[in-house]
Amino acid sequence: MNRENPVIAVVIPCYNEAEALPISSKEILAIIDEMATEGLVSPHSFILCSNDGSRDGTWDLIKSLNGADRRVKGISLAHNRGHQYALLAGLMWVRGRCDAAISIDADLQDDPRAMIEMVRKFRDGDDIVYGVRSSRKTDTWFKRSTAHGFYSFQKAMGLDTVYDHADYRLMDAKALDMLSEYGESNLFLRGIVPQIGLKTGIVAYERNPRVAGESKYPLSKMLSFSIDGITSFSSKPIRMIFFTGLIFLLIDVCVLAYVLYSFFEGNVVPGWSSLMLSIWFVGGIILMSLGIVGEYIGKIFVEVKGRPRYSIAEEVE
Ligand code: UDP
Ligand code: MG
């Protein structure tokens, strides 16, 4: 891996981005040129557009961009698989062809100039550099608060992600190799990459409005993305079933005291005492049993993923 004169690959997942891509590819090429002139990156650095089954002529556009400048390369997925898969396909394609890859969206909402700082950090020895939004001034109040709500909720559910980091990041060749070991189908890169470890850095940037086109991520997609993230990384929700059961049993003890009191006071309908007690008791037992079964399913779930159990970062012999 060459940190002195690195070949950088900028990976852009593209779904119906015919409006935004001409603008963004041009701007990114200009930044690559600027970095090459400064001697930060090799002039062989390139862009890889990963077309995610677009229906609006994005692929034809990528081919014509490639005709005009060979540094714009492209792959096209057989059908629309979603942002995470388009991105992974791109990262795996550039793996072995570059010293570091930077993933960025086609709409330039993430300030492309932050790439320069990412490359500097990579040259100084970082293996993974996360782009983190310094503010969300340009997002609507609704988008901003729902997004922050999701981060807190995910954290509470046992999913560790980098706060305010989307998929704008630099990964070097070593990190890409380690990423390739994760064979899971429910892909949530924001959860996987922090698990890789290695030497990481952070670059803050301003989030801008889309340069063109419209968002492909409405609230419903964000919600299911967040739930996918949690259920792909954490079995905490399962443990919560167990503890809910435990709480039910504790409530049962209080109900017992109340029922006995009412019983001896004599103001009860026949059958009420036993019903009251059994509802909480049986409910508690059922929930706890579900939780126990869930613990085993949680273990199976981790095994089935077949994730690497460890990754060696460095060796001396
Ligand atoms: N994208 C993709 N496949 C999809 C949806 C989106 O490859 O099914 C790409 C899209 O082209 C863009 C990036 O993922 O480059 C982020 O999408 P978008 O900007 O619409 O999401 P938002 O920023 O609004 O959350
Ligand atoms: Mg966007």
Side-chain angles (χ1 to χ4, degrees), residues 12-17 50-52 54 80-84 86-87 104-107 109-110 133 143 190 207 210 214-218 221-222:
I12 314 179
C14 309
Y15 177 58
N16 295 347
E17 297 286 7
S50 176
N51 175 39
D52 186 17
S54 303
N80 182 244
R81 282 289 283 126
H83 170 253
Q84 297 287 293
L87 181 54
I104 187 169
D105 290 348
D107 56 14
Q109 281 191 284
D110 304 316
R133 295 169 198 171
K143 177 106 186 175
R190 283 170 224 184
R207 174 107 161 148
R210 244 178 183 275
E214 54 195 36
S215 171
K216 281 95 196 164
Y217 271 95
K221 254 196 184 176
M222 261 174 76

Side-chain angles (χ1 to χ4, degrees), residues 5-308:
N5 186 34
V7 173
I8 302 291
V10 179
V11 179
I12 314 179
C14 309
Y15 177 58
N16 295 347
E17 297 286 7
E19 281 174 60
L21 198 55
I23 309 171
S24 43
S25 61
K26 193 167 152 224
E27 195 160 331
I28 292 171
L29 278 179
I31 294 173
I32 291 179
D33 282 337
E34 189 184 318
M35 290 194 287
T37 318
E38 273 183 54
L40 281 178
V41 303
S42 152
H44 298 297
S45 298
F46 61 94
I47 294 178
L48 177 77
C49 302
S50 176
N51 175 39
D52 186 17
S54 303
R55 292 168 226 257
D56 70 341
T58 298
W59 181 234
D60 288 334
L61 173 75
I62 294 171
K63 286 190 281 192
S64 76
L65 289 171
N66 172 262
D69 190 331
R70 275 293 142 82
R71 290 178 304 163
V72 182
K73 304 178 194 299
I75 56 172
S76 187
L77 302 191
H79 62 125
N80 182 244
R81 282 289 283 126
H83 170 253
Q84 297 287 293
Y85 298 88
L87 181 54
L88 182 73
L91 291 174
M92 290 302 107
W93 193 87
V94 301
R95 172 179 168 238
R97 292 177 163 102
C98 65
D99 297 300
I102 299 177
S103 47
I104 187 169
D105 290 348
D107 56 14
L108 295 193
Q109 281 191 284
D110 304 316
D111 180 10
R113 298 204 64 82
M115 290 198 290
I116 304 172
E117 195 52 39
M118 288 184 181
V119 168
R120 287 222 165 86
K121 296 218 163 194
F122 162 69
R123 289 171 59 103
D124 290 343
D126 282 351
D127 296 300
I128 300 174
V129 184
Y130 296 103
V132 170
R133 295 169 198 171
S134 54
S135 76
R136 282 174 174 262
K137 276 196 274 261
T138 55
D139 275 349
T140 61
W141 173 86
F142 183 72
K143 177 106 186 175
R144 192 166 56 226
S145 37
T146 47
H148 281 172
F150 283 144
Y151 283 111
S152 318
F153 180 59
Q154 289 174 349
K155 198 149 209 131
M157 286 290 150
L159 167 61
D160 239 336
T161 51
V162 178
Y163 198 69
D164 260 351
H165 158 73
D167 284 299
Y168 185 24
R169 71 177 84 83
L170 177 146
M171 296 178 79
D172 68 6
K174 200 195 291 178
L176 288 177
D177 283 345
M178 289 182 184
L179 177 66
S180 73
E181 308 256 312
Y182 286 74
E184 60 208 75
S185 301
N186 284 295
L187 202 58
F188 189 73
L189 290 168
R190 283 170 224 184
I192 296 176
V193 178
Q195 286 204 344
I196 289 176
L198 293 175
K199 194 165 180 294
T200 59
I202 277 179
V203 169
Y205 66 92
E206 288 290 333
R207 174 107 161 148
N208 302 313
R210 244 178 183 275
V211 289
E214 54 195 36
S215 171
K216 281 95 196 164
Y217 271 95
L219 180 68
S220 57
K221 254 196 184 176
M222 261 174 76
L223 187 67
S224 73
F225 189 50
S226 176
I227 292 175
D228 266 357
I230 292 165
T231 51
S232 295
F233 277 88
S234 160
S235 40
K236 210 166 173 179
I238 292 177
R239 198 151 289 168
M240 280 166 55
I241 302 178
F242 182 83
F243 285 112
T244 313
L246 203 65
I247 290 169
F248 269 46
L249 286 186
L250 288 179
I251 292 175
D252 187 54
V253 175
C254 307
V255 173
L256 175 71
Y258 175 63
V259 165
L260 283 180
Y261 170 76
S262 309
F263 184 75
F264 287 117
E265 285 285 295
N267 51 3
V268 291
V269 183
W272 178 79
S273 316
S274 49
L275 261 182
M276 262 322 261
L277 282 179
S278 35
I279 284 173
W280 288 95
F281 182 72
V282 172
I285 293 289
I286 289 176
L287 279 176
M288 279 180 81
S289 318
L290 265 181
I292 292 170
V293 173
E295 284 289 330
Y296 287 95
I297 293 182
K299 297 256 148 55
I300 296 171
F301 157 84
V302 171
E303 293 293 336
V304 156
K305 281 188 183 291
R307 281 183 185 161

